[in-house]
Amino acid sequence: QVQLVESGGGLVQTEDSLRLSCAASGRTFSSYVMGWFRQAPGKEREFVAAISQGSSSTGYADSVKGRFTISRDNAKNTMYLQMNSLKPEDTAVYYCAAKIGVYSARANAYNYWGQGTQVTVSS
């Protein structure tokens, strides 16, 4: 079992930057594929980015490619999402998630979820 806690959300303006963090506790963090998902009001939860256990593989949704960067520090049991050039359509609750096994962009493949952190981008 792993417990996940997100932080770093807030209210920013268009073109600003934010860095989200996801702190993990419990079983060995480096065993997990980690992902970021987001959910806007009235919309389905959607994939944002994911990273493999050793950071050799990363993937991004087309909507954030080139603006967001996912990373992890296994020594600190922490994953990050650097978000640059934020847009109002990035407004959502951002969730981190963990799974055992192979890399995936499907939310239903992830076993463990954090409580979410709100990101609001004003125009």
Side-chain angles (χ1 to χ4, degrees):
Q1 185 117 4
V2 63
Q3 292 79 42
L4 304 173
V5 179
E6 303 95 335
S7 61
L11 172 63
V12 297
Q13 295 185 334
T14 300
E15 292 298 318
D16 280 352
S17 297
L18 273 179
R19 188 174 82 156
L20 304 184
S21 298
C22 174
S25 60
R27 289 184 60 185
T28 306
F29 177 71
S30 60
S31 300
Y32 295 92
V33 171
M34 298 297 296
W36 286 101
F37 295 80
R38 66 186 183 186
Q39 188 167 17
K43 295 189 176 181
E44 297 281 323
R45 189 169 297 191
E46 64 174 1
F47 170 74
V48 175
I51 187 167
S52 62
Q53 290 90 333
S55 302
S56 59
S57 297
T58 58
Y60 297 90
D62 287 344
S63 58
V64 306
K65 206 170 290 184
R67 299 188 299 122
F68 290 12
T69 303
I70 189 171
S71 62
R72 65 190 295 166
D73 185 337
N74 288 343
K76 294 183 178 180
N77 285 5
T78 304
M79 174 180 65
Y80 305 98
L81 186 67
Q82 178 66 45
M83 305 186 295
N84 298 329
S85 302
L86 283 161
K87 304 175 182 181
E89 50 264 43
D90 294 318
T91 295
V93 177
Y94 283 71
Y95 298 91
C96 69
K99 69 178 299 292
I100 293 290
V102 300
Y103 172 96
S104 177
R106 295 183 297 110
N108 61 9
Y110 285 75
N111 309 105
Y112 305 102
W113 292 84
Q115 82 289 349
T117 186
Q118 176 71 47
V119 172
T120 303
V121 184
S122 64
S123 57

